Amino acid sequence: ADTEGSPTPLDFGEAAGGVVAPAWSPTGQSVAFISESEDGEVRSLRMLDTRNGEITSIVTPLEGRLVVDFAWLPDGVSLLFTEGGVPGRAITGIDLWRVNANGENRALVASAGTVAPVARIANLSPSPDGRSVAYAVLVPGSGRPAVDSVWVRSLASGIGFRVPLPSVAS
């Protein structure tokens, strides 16, 4: 909203291709989004600074990899994101990473490959205090991915705990 409270559009004009899943930062000063190329082969994590309209790159994956999903951490200066192989290529696992909003200090949080080579991490949910993250690990199923497990992982220690799920029969 502008100073009078009227809505004003955000300009993503510098973002080539499509803008996917834009999300306000907890500080309200920027919007992170996935920038997808027109052919869908490139998906990077970018940020729009709403104060000056500048768009910066946070994560530009290597060729054959793409950003799948992301979530802001409550501090407003770092994000969690998942990155995986382009569908149809040899490496299709999707791993969980943490990165500062300026693109620095990228660190692996969890590798889905510990479950299966083609597993993927999905449904990111940072804790309200930003000290841990919950996520699901999906594996290929008949027709669509199936939930293999749900985890809660400390971002400080890296220790993860598998959340017991009820059996389908029960």
Side-chain angles (χ1 to χ4, degrees):
D2 62 18
T3 56
E4 298 172 4
S6 300
T8 58
L10 295 175
D11 183 10
F12 291 92
E14 283 185 39
V19 172
V20 179
W24 285 100
S25 71
T27 64
Q29 297 176 338
S30 57
V31 177
F33 62 96
I34 295 172
S35 178
E36 184 175 61
S37 64
E38 291 182 20
D39 62 6
E41 293 276 324
V42 178
R43 287 175 53 123
S44 57
L45 182 58
R46 302 183 79 190
M47 184 177 64
L48 168 69
D49 185 325
T50 59
R51 296 166 293 180
N52 61 18
E54 182 179 324
I55 294 178
T56 56
S57 289
I58 301 171
V59 175
T60 303
L62 298 173
E63 186 176 337
R65 308 277 296 162
L66 45 79
V67 173
V68 178
D69 196 9
F70 74 93
W72 282 99
L73 284 168
D75 62 8
V77 297
S78 52
L79 300 103
L80 297 169
F81 71 96
T82 55
E83 179 185 75
V86 174
R89 300 222 176 136
I91 301 172
T92 58
I94 298 175
D95 300 323
L96 176 60
W97 299 82
R98 180 181 186 165
V99 67
N100 290 351
N102 62 7
E104 296 178 0
N105 299 320
R106 178 178 168 155
L108 182 65
V109 174
S111 174
T114 59
V115 174
V118 292
R120 59 188 189 192
I121 292 176
N123 305 325
L124 308 178
S125 185
S127 64
D129 63 7
R131 295 180 0 192
S132 60
V133 59
Y135 57 88
V137 176
L138 307 179
V139 294
S142 57
R144 63 187 173 121
V147 174
D148 172 82
S149 54
V150 174
W151 292 79
V152 175
R153 185 168 302 275
S154 166
L155 294 172
S157 70
I159 296 173
F161 299 95
R162 188 175 183 157
V163 177
L165 298 175
S167 71
V168 175
S170 66

